[in-house]
């Protein structure tokens, strides 16, 4: 009758981790379609590039349409709750290496376009 779903969330390394989990749990518990038994849970899973990641696990109806509808509501509720609590969910950091070879490639590309 019910199925467990998981939404992965990443919070800033400066976040209060226990508070982030509690905000997430409170948000998910208030979502229409999320079962109260078994209760939703949060578990930290990894240290990402720019976030500390945790899974938000919850149960809902096993009907495919219900699973997707509830997941949509959960993602919106999590995003809004974490934003309202001032808990940052930064995007991955991408580092560009601008050594001489990179600079030379950009310069050659510009020269090719003007030639």
């Amino acid at each position: 009758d019910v199925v467990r779903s998981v939404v992965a969330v990443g919070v800033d390394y400066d976040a209060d981790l226990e508070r982030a989990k509690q905000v997430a749990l409170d948000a998910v518990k208030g979502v229409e379609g999320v079962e109260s038994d078994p209760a939703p849970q949060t578990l930290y899973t990894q240290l990402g590039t720019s976030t500390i990641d945790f899974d938000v696990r919850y149960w809902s109806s096993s009907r495919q349409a219900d699973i997707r509808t509830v997941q949509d509501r959960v993602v919106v509720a999590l995003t809004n709750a974490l934003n309202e609590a001032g808990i940052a969910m930064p995007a991955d950091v991408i580092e560009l290496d601008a050594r001489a070879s990179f600079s030379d490639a950009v310069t050659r590309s510009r020269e090719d376009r003007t030639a």
Side-chain angles (χ1 to χ4, degrees):
D1 290 340
V2 295
V3 64
R4 186 183 75 192
S5 297
V6 178
V7 173
V9 179
V11 296
D12 192 85
Y13 272 87
D14 291 334
D16 177 334
L17 300 181
E18 289 307 311
R19 182 167 173 260
K21 284 173 65 170
Q22 191 59 54
V23 167
L25 277 175
D26 291 345
V28 172
K29 287 177 183 176
V31 171
E32 179 184 347
V34 170
E35 297 291 324
S36 59
D37 186 27
Q41 71 179 160
T42 56
L43 299 167
Y44 280 98
T45 57
Q46 68 181 0
L47 302 174
T49 304
S50 56
T51 58
I52 299 175
D53 302 334
F54 64 95
D55 286 344
V56 177
R57 304 158 111 195
Y58 62 92
W59 293 81
S60 67
S61 163
S62 62
R63 288 188 51 228
Q64 189 67 29
D66 292 340
I67 294 168
R68 295 297 170 224
T69 300
V70 173
Q71 185 175 33
D72 176 76
R73 291 179 190 148
V74 165
V75 169
V76 170
L78 287 169
T79 303
N80 289 340
L82 290 168
N83 282 334
E84 288 172 14
I87 299 169
M89 297 175 287
D92 283 340
V93 174
I94 298 173
E95 184 176 318
L96 296 177
D97 185 353
R99 295 182 203 173
S101 59
F102 178 77
S103 178
D104 291 343
V106 170
T107 302
R108 280 193 301 265
S109 176
R110 287 184 183 152
E111 289 170 355
D112 291 346
R113 281 185 271 151
T114 59

